[in-house]
Amino acid sequence: MAVKKSARASVRASAKPKRKVSGKAKSKPKAKAGPRSKARQPRAQRKLARPQKPVKPKTRAKKKPAAKVSPLAPQSFPELPAVGGVTLGVAAAGIKYKGRTDLLVARMIEGTQAAGIFTTSKTASAPVDWCRANLADGGEGRMLIVNSGNSNAFTGKAGIATVKATASAAAAAGNCRQRDVFIASTGVIGQPMDPAPLVAGIATALAGAAPDRWDEAARAIMTTDTYPKLATRRVRIGGAEVTINGIAKGSGMIAPDLATMLAFIFTDAAIPSKILQTLLMLGARESFNAITVDSDTSTSDTVMAFATGAAMADETPITRAGDPRLREFRQAFDELMLDLAHQVVKDGEGATKFVRIAVSGAQSHQAARRIAMAIGNSPLVKTAIAGEDANWGRIVMAVGKSGEAADRDRLAIRIGGIDVARSGMAVRGYDEAPVARHMKGREIDIEVDVGVGKSSAVVWTCDLTYEYIRINADYRS
C-alpha cells in the first residue's frame, strides 16, 4: 500500500499545474503553438503582428477664402501725410487672427486734447465704459490702443480687468496717466480676452512706431472689412496750415447710433476738448449717425478725435466753436467724417449697391430721418435693390410702417431722378424702363416727399445680398 501511495504522489508532482480561472468560467484547451506562433511571442510582438487599420492622412483645416474687395471700394487709397505730434505702430498680437496685424497703438504728445462719442447700446463694452469715464475725468489723449478680433464686450469682471491691465501697460509705455489712455476693441462679443497679447503687443507696436503708418493702422483695426478706410484734409486756421487725418473700420452691424464702427480722427490743430467735442457731435449727426447697413447697433461703437496743437504753436488759442477762424476747419472736419461714413457703407457686408435715400416734406428733421431709415433698413427694399428690381411699392410700404406722419394721397417718389409716383399713385404713363436701367448701376438714388411739412433728411445704405448671409453665418468659425 505504501508503494502505490508514493507512485500516485509522484504522478501528481510531475503533472503541469492548472491555470487559475477567475469566476466560474472554465478555460478552453489551447491549441499547440507552432514554432512561430503568436502564442510563443512576447506580448509586444503579438500586438505588432495584428493587422492594423489603415491610418487616414491628416488633413489641414481649410482656410477661409479671402474676402473679395467690395465692388464699391475706392479705385485708389489716399496717402495720408504726417500729423504733428502723432506716431503710429501696429503689431500682430494673435488675438484672433493669425498672420495679420490686429493691434494699433497711437502715441500723441503731451497736451493733446480728446473728444469722443460712443454707442447708445445698453450692453456697451468694457472699453467704451473706460473711454467715457476718462473723458469725464478730463483725460488727455496720450495713448490710443485699438484691437480687432475680440470686442471685449459682455465679458464681466474679466473684461474690466483686461482693460485695466492694457491701460496700465500703455500708461507705462507712454509715460502718462492711465486716464490719458483710450482703448477700443472690435470683434466677437462674449468671449473673454487675455490681456497678455495686448500688453506684449504694445511694446512691439511702439518699437516700430512712425508718423506715416496710416495705411497699416487702418488695416490693423479691420474685421470683416474688405479694404482700409482712410481720409485726409488740409486747411488753414488763421496763419497756420493744419492737417486732419481719419481712419475707420466698419462693414456689418451698422446702424445709428453710432452705426457699428470704430473711427479715429487726428489733427495738429489746437482745439480745446470741449470745442472738439461739440464739433464731433455736430459732424457725426449727418455722417456716422446717418448710415445703415443692417439696422443693428454694436456694443463697441467708438468715434474719437484728438487735437495735438503741434501746428498752431504761434497762433492765438481757439476759445469758442463759433470762432470765424474755425469755419474752414469745420467744413473739412465734417467732410472727412462723411467721407469715412460713406466708405463704411460701401464696404457693407456683401454690398453691391450704394444707396442714397432723401426724404422731404416731413414734420421734423427727426421724422424725416426715421422715415428714411425705415426705407433704408427694410429687407424688402434692400433685396429688391440687390435684384435690380424697380419695385417702388416696397418704398411705399416702408414709409407707412415708419410710424411718422405721411399723407398717403400726397406721397411722391423719384428713383434716379425719374418720377415714379405722385399725388399718392403711380404717375400717368409711367415707364419702368429708365428706372430699371438706373437700378443696374452701382449708385442708387431714392427721393420721397411725404407731403406733411417742410423738413428733410438724407441717409445712406446698401443692398442686402446672399453674401451678407454667408459672411454672418460663418463669422465665428
Side-chain angles (χ1 to χ4, degrees), residues 47 59 70 84 113 129 134 154 201 239 266 298 374 380 383 389 392 441 474-475:
K47 191 173 181 181
T59 55
S70 168
Q113 301 293 289
D129 287 343
N134 280 6
F154 207 70
F266 304 84
S298 168
L380 289 177
T383 49
D389 180 9
W392 55 270
D474 196 34
Y475 180 66

Side-chain angles (χ1 to χ4, degrees), residues 170-185:
N175 192 27
C176 63
R177 304 168 299 182
Q178 288 192 32
R179 69 182 182 186
D180 299 333
V181 176
F182 292 89
I183 299 169
S185 300

Side-chain angles (χ1 to χ4, degrees), residues 289-464:
N289 279 337
I291 61 174
T292 181
V293 167
D294 48 19
S295 81
D296 285 334
T297 296
S298 168
T299 59
S300 307
D301 299 337
T302 298
V303 177
M304 294 200 70
F306 301 95
T308 69
M312 291 181 59
D314 299 327
E315 288 292 316
T316 305
I318 300 290
T319 58
R320 58 190 181 92
D323 190 319
R325 291 176 297 163
L326 275 180
R327 188 176 294 116
E328 188 180 348
F329 179 89
R330 288 185 62 173
Q331 182 179 350
F333 195 69
D334 291 348
E335 286 177 358
L336 181 138
M337 282 194 281
L338 185 59
D339 185 350
L340 291 174
H342 282 185
Q343 289 186 54
V344 168
V345 174
K346 289 178 179 179
D347 201 15
E349 290 168 344
T352 64
K353 312 279 186 182
F354 179 63
V355 187
R356 173 183 175 268
I357 302 169
V359 171
S360 59
Q363 285 184 334
S364 66
H365 175 77
Q366 187 178 33
R369 172 70 59 82
R370 284 179 179 154
I371 294 168
M373 282 294 174
I375 298 169
N377 284 327
S378 166
L380 289 177
V381 172
K382 291 162 76 71
T383 49
I385 293 170
E388 301 177 345
D389 180 9
N391 188 350
W392 55 270
R394 293 183 177 182
I395 298 172
V396 175
M397 172 278 299
V399 172
K401 75 168 186 175
S402 70
E404 296 296 333
D407 188 333
R408 180 196 62 193
D409 298 325
R410 297 180 65 183
L411 189 70
I413 300 173
R414 289 166 65 87
I415 299 177
I418 301 161
D419 288 330
V420 171
R422 191 186 307 119
S423 301
M425 60 188 299
V427 296
R428 185 171 296 179
Y430 169 62
D431 181 6
E432 190 173 289
V435 180
R437 283 196 296 272
H438 178 72
M439 298 296 289
K440 292 184 180 299
R442 292 291 191 200
E443 298 193 358
I444 309 299
D445 194 67
I446 298 171
E447 299 170 81
V448 178
D449 189 320
V450 296
V452 294
K454 296 182 179 180
S455 296
S456 61
V458 180
V459 304
W460 293 268
T461 188
C462 59
D463 55 345
L464 180 60

Side-chain angles (χ1 to χ4, degrees), residues 81-278:
V83 171
V86 179
T87 53
L88 307 160
V90 300
I95 294 163
K96 175 185 176 183
Y97 308 110
K98 303 299 180 186
R100 55 158 282 191
T101 56
D102 55 3
L103 180 66
L104 162 65
V105 178
R107 179 167 51 191
M108 290 149 282
I109 60 174
E110 188 174 355
T112 297
Q113 301 293 289
I117 48 179
F118 306 93
T119 182
T120 57
S121 171
K122 303 304 180 186
T123 54
S125 69
V128 165
D129 287 343
W130 175 267
C131 290
R132 280 186 178 137
N134 280 6
L135 284 176
D137 199 25
E140 293 182 357
R142 297 295 309 283
M143 297 287 285
L144 172 67
I145 314 298
V146 189
N147 76 270
S148 58
N150 188 322
S151 69
N152 195 14
F154 207 70
T155 47
K157 291 181 179 179
I160 297 170
T162 293
V163 167
K164 288 182 176 178
T166 304
S168 177
N175 192 27
C176 63
R177 304 168 299 182
Q178 288 192 32
R179 69 182 182 186
D180 299 333
V181 176
F182 292 89
I183 299 169
S185 300
T186 180
V188 177
I189 295 170
Q191 292 186 358
M193 184 163 62
D194 181 3
L198 287 173
V199 171
I202 290 170
T204 302
L206 287 177
D212 60 352
R213 303 190 71 180
W214 294 98
D215 183 78
E216 293 167 273
R219 292 179 186 277
I221 65 176
M222 291 166 52
T223 51
T224 56
D225 306 57
T226 67
Y227 61 85
K229 297 159 185 68
L230 309 98
T232 186
R233 300 290 188 276
R234 187 167 279 170
V235 297
R236 298 194 74 81
I237 297 180
E241 185 176 61
V242 303
T243 300
I244 315 169
N245 282 355
I247 61 173
K249 68 79 51 182
S251 188
M253 205 185 285
I254 303 292
D257 295 308
L258 265 169
T260 210
M261 72 187 68
L262 302 182
F264 306 102
I265 303 167
F266 304 84
T267 180
D268 45 21
I271 302 176
S273 59
K274 287 186 178 180
I275 297 175
L276 191 61
Q277 183 71 34
T278 299

